[in-house]
Amino acid sequence: MDISTASHHQHVAAGLGRGALYAMAVASGVAVANIYYNQPMLGIIETDLGQTSVTGLVPTATQLGYALGLFFLLPFGDIVHRRKLIIGQFIVLAAALAVAAIAPSAWFLVGASLLVGASATVAQQIVPFAASLATPEKRGSTIGTVMAGVLSGILFSRTLSGFVGQHAGWREMFWISVPLSLAAAVLMFFTLPDHRPTSRMHYHRAIASLAHLWSRHRKLRTAALMQAALFGSFTAFWTILAFYLQTPRFNLGADVAGLFGIIGAVGIFAAPLAGRIADRRGPHFVVWIGVLLTLLSWAIVGLWGSLAALIIGVIVLDFGVQSTLVSNQHIVYALEPEARSRLNTIFMTSMFLGGAAGAALATFAWEQAGWSGVSVLGALLALVALAIRLLDHRAPRRSIVKE
């Protein structure tokens, strides 16, 4: 990086104001919400379009599109003009949502959902951009604030789409999302600072460099594998919760399961809090705390079989997983500033693959051993994360890069 580029980055880092930071958090939440809108509306979509087996593929296609977008689109953040990339991707997202809204068949909606998922990864373009603009002493709190926006989008998306879908229709939810995405594009146009690419490499080299980054940075591997295990643990809980609440022990319906999402709002506060603690005490300290909280949450929900245990457990689980997520991102983004988008590609792709594995394993554990099996699985995944952290802590320090 030459002197002029370095001074440019120093200037924009100092210029990241609170208004721009909050705008990035809001835009991230608007983007990521789109991958969850379809889930509460599947029954309504099925009634309208028919083809039950095909309709069930809609959320799968959305998640698959998101995973593909993480891998193939995030590297662009290092090699093109980030501000233009983010604005353009929001416009593409709006177009994909409009296509979904006019879907004449279930298969058409599946294809549109793939595009929605891929373009919704603009949320993960914003997070490393915010980290790049922040000064080092405020990077943790900056990441935490933007991630609070992401968590808000995840949390309230299902509540919003369930209400709109029930009272207006599933197409109307997608139509509402179109102006929301365009508004996010306008918000980014007026608030994001100019920021030149951090690398001049071609796209195919950026993709090829992912393997090099993985082998080069031990702390990237540790953070990615840890977060994959923890997100698998997190996903296991949420995948089975509705089924568990429907059992004779509770006899509660899907509406109560939805209320647990509101309880999970506590996790929103964990992200900025963890970021501030990471800035003061270091991100590794918060990672340890987050993993131990995740283990504690499974002890609570697995050993204390009551509704109160589930309420307390979900709060502790959200705090643990979200705190570790923010802190691991803090560690990863500090490895190579000019490669933050590609580092985020590896980190987030690993995390979502872990989440998918956790959901699949949780379904099997539920069928074989009920909630006890799911609790053991969740705790084991948290122990895997703890073991990975311990191995990294004991590994000899390397002088390849400052990690």
Side-chain angles (χ1 to χ4, degrees):
M1 183 182 293
D2 59 32
I3 297 175
S4 62
T5 303
S7 62
H8 167 75
H9 290 325
Q10 187 176 23
H11 173 74
V12 295
L16 180 61
R18 190 172 296 271
L21 177 59
Y22 288 155
M24 295 172 91
V26 169
S28 297
V30 168
V32 78
N34 289 284
I35 66 175
Y36 298 101
Y37 283 146
N38 56 55
Q39 293 179 0
M41 303 190 298
L42 287 178
I44 301 170
I45 295 172
E46 178 186 318
T47 301
D48 184 29
L49 298 179
Q51 296 177 278
T52 303
S53 59
V54 179
T55 303
L57 295 176
V58 169
T60 303
T62 309
Q63 295 289 341
L64 177 60
Y66 197 78
L68 292 173
L70 287 173
F71 189 83
F72 289 106
L73 296 181
L74 257 60
F76 277 115
D78 291 332
I79 60 177
V80 302
H81 194 289
R82 274 176 168 165
R83 180 171 175 270
K84 293 179 180 177
L85 174 66
I86 290 170
I87 294 169
Q89 202 167 331
F90 266 118
I91 294 172
V92 173
L93 174 58
L97 289 164
V99 171
I102 63 173
S105 68
W107 277 116
F108 193 96
L109 182 58
V110 167
S113 297
L114 192 71
L115 296 175
V116 169
S119 50
T121 55
V122 64
Q124 293 304 326
Q125 298 284 10
I126 295 173
V127 179
F129 189 20
S132 298
L133 296 172
T135 53
E137 66 273 11
K138 292 185 177 180
R139 186 165 295 131
S141 60
T142 297
I143 296 170
T145 298
V146 178
M147 286 305 299
V150 172
L151 297 173
S152 298
I154 293 173
L155 175 65
F156 295 114
S157 57
R158 295 181 180 91
T159 304
L160 175 61
S161 65
F163 179 83
V164 174
Q166 187 67 39
H167 293 87
W170 68 270
R171 295 182 190 275
E172 282 69 20
M173 184 63 245
F174 285 115
W175 281 123
I176 289 172
S177 303
V178 172
L180 285 176
S181 297
L182 292 175
V186 173
L187 183 64
M188 294 296 90
F189 178 82
F190 285 107
T191 58
L192 288 184
D194 190 40
H195 196 262
R196 291 194 297 270
T198 56
S199 174
R200 295 183 178 181
M201 69 172 59
H202 295 294
Y203 176 74
H204 69 278
R205 286 190 57 202
I207 292 293
S209 70
L210 296 176
H212 173 69
L213 290 169
W214 176 266
S215 63
R216 179 178 175 85
H217 294 293
R218 172 172 52 86
K219 293 196 178 299
L220 170 61
R221 298 192 297 272
T222 298
L225 294 175
M226 270 194 70
Q227 207 60 47
L230 289 174
F231 197 55
S233 180
F234 180 83
T235 306
F237 178 89
W238 288 102
T239 299
I240 305 301
L241 176 63
F243 297 113
Y244 184 41
L245 291 174
Q246 290 172 1
T247 61
R249 169 172 290 206
F250 300 107
N251 284 317
L252 298 171
D255 53 343
V256 177
L259 291 176
F260 270 82
I262 305 299
I263 297 171
V266 176
I268 294 173
F269 302 102
L273 176 62
R276 288 193 292 272
I277 296 174
D279 286 333
R280 292 197 301 267
R281 299 289 301 272
H284 296 284
F285 173 78
V286 183
V287 168
W288 285 112
I289 298 299
V291 175
L292 293 176
L293 284 175
T294 304
L295 269 173
L296 175 62
S297 71
W298 283 109
I300 294 171
V301 301
L303 299 176
W304 181 18
S306 69
L307 190 61
L310 289 176
I311 293 172
I312 295 171
V314 73
I315 293 172
V316 176
L317 178 65
D318 274 14
F319 255 96
V321 174
Q322 304 306 341
S323 297
T324 310
L325 171 58
V326 171
S327 300
N328 272 329
Q329 285 177 305
H330 191 290
I331 293 168
V332 167
Y333 292 156
L335 296 177
E336 286 193 41
E338 69 277 8
R340 283 195 176 113
S341 288
R342 282 170 287 150
L343 292 169
N344 199 41
T345 297
I346 296 170
F347 180 77
M348 296 304 300
T349 301
S350 300
M351 175 177 147
F352 274 87
L353 288 175
L361 290 172
T363 301
F364 177 79
W366 173 253
E367 293 173 349
Q368 299 300 314
W371 185 252
S372 296
V374 176
S375 298
V376 170
L377 170 66
L380 284 175
L381 288 171
L383 285 172
V384 168
L386 181 61
I388 293 169
R389 185 69 189 90
L390 286 169
L391 288 173
D392 176 76
H393 184 68
R394 294 177 179 179
R397 293 185 178 275
R398 298 177 182 178
S399 58
I400 296 177
V401 291
K402 184 180 180 181
E403 299 188 346

